[in-house]
Amino acid sequence: MTKYLAADLSRSVEDYLKAIYHLSEAGNAASTTAIAESLDLAAPSVTGMCKRLAEAGLVEHLPYKGVTLTRDGRHAALRMLRRHRIIETYLVAFLGYSWD
């Protein structure tokens, strides 16, 4: 298994991991249609990216069954979400931004 650093992931990969994480929180696989709707992309584009993410070991993609995060994919998604929450907290606490 490959370990990914936050700097190794492109913005689009982060967007996919975040979408898949949120869509599969209930324990079900995220469908490529739901991912496409979440990211406002065409379904064939999502299918292609999911195949590349599977090759990278970040997701398991079963055609017509959906996409789930692998251990590495979940770790990368959670690390990114934590980083975003820290930045959001800083913006609210020290720079006076509102949560919305």
Side-chain angles (χ1 to χ4, degrees):
M1 284 187 216
T2 306
K3 295 295 179 189
Y4 290 90
L5 300 174
D8 293 340
L9 303 176
S10 69
R11 170 117 189 203
S12 62
V13 169
E14 287 184 347
D15 290 343
Y16 274 88
L17 293 178
K18 182 178 178 182
I20 295 166
Y21 177 81
H22 286 302
L23 291 168
S24 62
E25 279 184 305
N28 300 322
S31 71
T32 53
T33 303
I35 297 167
E37 290 173 1
S38 173
L39 297 174
D40 196 27
L41 296 170
S45 298
V46 171
T47 300
M49 178 59 105
C50 288
K51 288 179 183 177
R52 288 190 292 279
L53 292 173
E55 289 170 3
L58 295 171
V59 302
E60 290 181 11
H61 177 231
L62 298 172
Y64 308 104
K65 298 289 183 186
V67 181
T68 56
L69 294 171
T70 62
R71 189 174 131 204
D72 285 345
R74 183 172 172 78
H75 184 71
L78 288 172
R79 189 173 49 235
M80 181 213 22
L81 287 169
R82 284 186 196 114
R83 187 177 72 241
H84 287 181
R85 287 182 185 144
I86 289 169
I87 293 168
E88 290 168 350
T89 301
Y90 173 78
L91 291 171
V92 170
F94 297 104
L95 299 181
Y97 283 84
S98 65
W99 277 109
D100 50 332

